[in-house]
Amino acid sequence: MIRKGYSDGPFGQLHWRMLEPAGKVSQPDLFCLHPAPFSGLAFTGIMPHLAQGRRIIAPDYPGHGGSDAFKTEPSIEEYAAAIEAVIADLSANAAVDLMGFHTGNLVAVEIGLSVADRVRRLALVDVPAFDPKTRDKYRGAMSKPLEITPEMQCLEAAWDRGMTKRLASQGPDRSFDMFVEQLRHGKNMNAAFHAGFSYDVDGKLPQVAHPTLILASQSALLEATHRASKLIPTAKLVERPDIARAVLDEAAAITASEVLMFLDKEDP
């Protein structure tokens, strides 16, 4: 059973979900870092597949999910500092593994750079490693605060992102849950997009020294993910053309198998 809890962080309380393995814990904790504009809820479908001899922990960034509210223009560095507090609270002094998805990959990278001795391996899935021009374009287009009006039209983008694009692969119940999760942020719904598209991927990714899996599905991020694999000197690129949608839900078993194969591989 996935249980929930809170840890204190530099920007208030941080909400998290945790799933413990059925048997003995024999592997490092795996922290799963979520995409914009959602929360750790994005990982609940894949958590049972990942919980093989390890605890799976999916925190919510400041201003997301059940965590305390945060500002309109946060940074990846601030998200990383908050998650580092959760790691210290739940994993004490033990080294942990990190798994990211979309924006969560950037948070994972920053944690790896900030507290390198606390991180063992990185598993990055569909990485938004866009060039500076593209990042500037998307930051302007996607990171504006939500204008809440009396008309339902103000929720069209959230409905399309949470419901319309997910129905075929995730069904109405899961899709509706993801739609609603965005709305918990209120006007700051797009804050994590600002953080992600402001992050200096060209300066940061080449500094990564941890063993790193880059898993590429057949998504709109395929080209950017290939770019990430060239920027990170320790990257092992695995492309799965059979994953075309719902990476953490419909394709959860496949995604988890690749992540676990990498995390469980013995160091040379």
Side-chain angles (χ1 to χ4, degrees), residues 39-260:
S39 72
L41 177 69
F43 286 96
T44 55
I46 197 172
M47 288 173 78
H49 297 278
L50 293 169
Q52 307 298 317
R54 54 174 44 87
R55 298 194 305 172
I56 309 301
I57 302 159
D60 302 341
Y61 308 145
H64 289 71
S67 295
D68 282 348
F70 201 39
K71 56 190 179 184
T72 302
E73 296 187 350
S75 67
I76 292 296
E77 288 83 356
E78 288 170 324
Y79 287 164
I83 302 305
E84 287 164 21
V86 180
I87 293 172
D89 181 31
L90 298 181
S91 301
N93 296 318
V96 302
D97 292 324
L98 304 177
M99 176 182 176
F101 185 56
H102 292 200
T103 315
N105 294 310
L106 309 181
V107 181
V109 164
E110 186 60 30
I111 294 171
L113 297 179
S114 176
V115 288
D117 60 329
R118 296 301 315 278
V119 176
R120 193 181 70 108
R121 294 187 174 212
L122 306 176
L124 311 180
V125 183
D126 292 342
V127 188
F130 297 107
D131 62 76
K133 184 177 179 180
T134 303
R135 293 199 304 272
D136 287 345
K137 180 183 74 172
Y138 284 148
R139 184 171 62 250
M142 300 182 68
S143 66
K144 297 176 182 177
L146 174 66
E147 183 180 357
I148 302 173
T149 70
E151 291 76 33
M152 289 289 292
Q153 285 85 346
C154 71
L155 301 180
E156 282 183 352
W159 182 263
D160 183 56
R161 186 188 301 122
M163 283 291 292
T164 307
K165 292 181 177 179
R166 296 173 181 270
L167 279 172
S169 61
Q170 294 175 261
D173 292 341
R174 176 66 167 170
S175 299
F176 188 74
D177 285 345
M178 297 299 284
F179 163 69
V180 171
E181 193 72 355
Q182 304 169 82
L183 304 186
R184 299 179 69 177
H185 316 333
K187 68 177 183 179
N188 291 342
M189 183 175 70
N190 299 319
F193 287 122
H194 177 274
F197 293 125
S198 299
Y199 192 62
D200 180 17
V201 297
D202 294 85
K204 298 279 191 170
L205 268 61
Q207 299 180 46
V208 173
H210 298 89
T212 302
L213 167 70
I214 294 187
L215 180 59
S217 74
Q218 300 306 296
S219 75
L221 288 177
L222 182 58
E223 183 178 345
T225 302
H226 277 261
R227 187 169 187 269
S229 72
K230 296 174 183 176
L231 287 171
I232 297 177
T234 57
K236 174 190 176 184
L237 175 65
V238 174
E239 188 168 345
R240 289 298 301 245
D242 53 334
I243 304 177
R245 61 184 191 178
V247 174
L248 303 179
D249 286 281
E250 185 180 63
I254 301 172
T255 302
S257 69
E258 291 288 357
V259 170
L260 293 179

